[in-house]
Amino acid sequence: MERWPDAARLVTFARVARHGSLTSAARSLGITTSAVSQQMTALEAECGARLLDREPRGAVLTSAGEVLLQRAEELVRHLDETATTMAQLGGELAGRVRVSTIASAAASLVLPSATVLGRTAPDVTMSVTVREPQASLDAIDDGVADLALIDVYDHVPLALPTHLLVEEVLTEPLVLVCAAGADVPRRPTLSALADHDWVLPPATTACGAATRHACRADGFEPRTAWETDDLLLLVAAVSRGAGLALLPRRAVADSVAPVEVRRLVAPVLRRRLLLVTRAAAAQRPIVRACLDAIHHVGRQAPAPTG
């Protein structure tokens, strides 16, 4: 009797290939590295060929592994499509959708969309994890998230995998955030703010990188007084006169502390908020209900800018 490779092991093999190491694959699967290693050993025995070269820095596919990976990825797609088909046939709008999102969108879009779901699909719930954009894309690829809400800033490109479905929710400008009564023009240009202190997200974040790029393009290095990726702390620091900040309007937590928000005349900087899913997952009724709810919230006008 002909033996077929175990489907679960093929799925694990595809995860190892994507991450380039057994340890990273194990972490994404929520199992031990030893368990992944045992599965790969068993899969190699089933296939009668070495699939991986285990090296100190990770796992490298052999020629046989490269061939098998194509089949394993096809299997993962078929399993995803089968789950979608079954969900569509069932037609029931009930279940949990795993959402991976940036922090600012969690507050401004995901939370309000849960209220929308309460009206349109009351038996659909979202479990939410806050991650940086690249980590969210990895979570989609790994199958640990059903949809991701990420942002992409001007001058800070992010490679979007072509095999994933991307839907734009909105594009919004970055606005200047300052303390109430600050000595800042009502319609400032960035170059006019060169002598001010700044409260910035770290340069490793897209917002922090975009702000620094814009300042340097206008001929100055921003004088950083505070650096934090905590948006609540950032706004609180700005409100007490620690410096200025550039943030997307929906990321300004002005309910935390009193600040003024002003439109930057030049340059005009923007960020795009994007929903990312696997193509098959987007067709599942409960995932589509969440996508539609987030789009609905995204169409609502933000608070006005001074």
Side-chain angles (χ1 to χ4, degrees):
M1 179 178 174
E2 194 174 42
R3 292 189 63 186
W4 296 87
D6 181 82
R9 292 172 187 153
L10 286 172
V11 171
T12 301
F13 172 72
R15 194 73 62 89
V16 170
R18 183 181 305 129
H19 285 275
S21 83
L22 274 63
T23 300
S24 296
R27 189 180 301 116
S28 72
L29 290 163
I31 59 179
T32 65
T33 302
S34 175
V36 172
S37 180
Q38 290 171 15
Q39 287 190 47
M40 295 304 92
T41 298
L43 182 61
E44 288 178 327
E46 288 175 335
C47 295
R50 193 176 79 257
L51 305 173
L52 298 166
D53 284 330
R54 294 167 173 80
E55 300 180 354
R57 294 187 177 181
V60 178
L61 296 182
T62 64
S63 296
E66 293 281 1
V67 172
L68 184 63
L69 178 60
Q70 298 177 28
R71 301 291 182 262
E73 289 178 335
E74 288 174 7
L75 173 65
V76 171
R77 285 194 296 272
H78 287 317
L79 290 173
D80 208 16
E81 291 166 0
T82 299
T84 296
T85 300
M86 293 300 99
Q88 289 173 331
L89 289 173
E92 185 179 7
L93 266 178
R96 184 175 296 275
V97 176
R98 300 164 299 171
V99 179
S100 185
T101 178
I102 54 172
S104 61
S108 63
L109 290 176
V110 179
L111 276 176
S113 70
T115 301
V116 174
L117 276 178
R119 299 192 302 267
T120 60
D123 293 323
V124 176
T125 57
M126 293 186 290
S127 61
V128 180
T129 303
V130 173
R131 296 184 178 97
E132 287 298 307
Q134 186 57 59
S136 285
L137 293 176
D138 293 341
I140 293 293
D141 258 341
D142 287 343
V144 298
D146 300 304
L147 68 89
L149 188 51
I150 68 172
D151 55 6
V152 180
Y153 286 74
D154 285 350
H155 312 299
V156 187
L158 177 66
L160 297 172
T162 57
H163 64 280
L164 297 179
L165 179 67
V166 179
E167 300 179 5
E168 183 167 316
V169 180
L170 59 92
T171 297
E172 63 176 342
L174 271 63
V175 296
L176 183 73
V177 187
C178 59
D183 184 19
V184 175
R186 295 302 302 175
R187 293 288 187 273
T189 62
L190 191 56
S191 58
L193 307 172
D195 292 333
H196 288 264
D197 288 336
W198 289 83
V199 181
L200 297 176
T204 52
T205 66
C207 185
T211 299
R212 288 169 175 81
H213 179 281
C215 291
R216 290 163 186 160
D218 261 14
F220 70 96
E221 184 70 24
R223 192 170 63 225
T224 306
W226 282 61
E227 182 175 281
T228 176
D229 59 0
D230 183 331
L231 295 179
L232 303 184
L233 175 59
L234 187 153
V235 168
V238 169
S239 75
R240 299 189 182 193
L244 309 176
L246 279 180
L247 292 176
R249 182 61 187 93
R250 286 174 173 79
V252 180
D254 48 3
S255 61
V256 174
V259 292
E260 293 183 4
V261 178
R262 300 182 183 176
R263 181 174 291 110
L264 194 65
V265 175
V268 177
L269 302 171
R270 295 171 295 267
R271 79 156 173 179
R272 299 164 63 214
L273 284 168
L274 308 173
L275 283 167
V276 184
T277 59
R278 298 180 303 281
Q283 301 305 313
R284 296 178 188 172
I286 61 173
V287 175
R288 189 71 254 171
C290 290
L291 292 169
D292 290 344
I294 294 172
H295 278 297
H296 175 80
V297 174
R299 288 192 291 270
Q300 310 306 306
T305 301

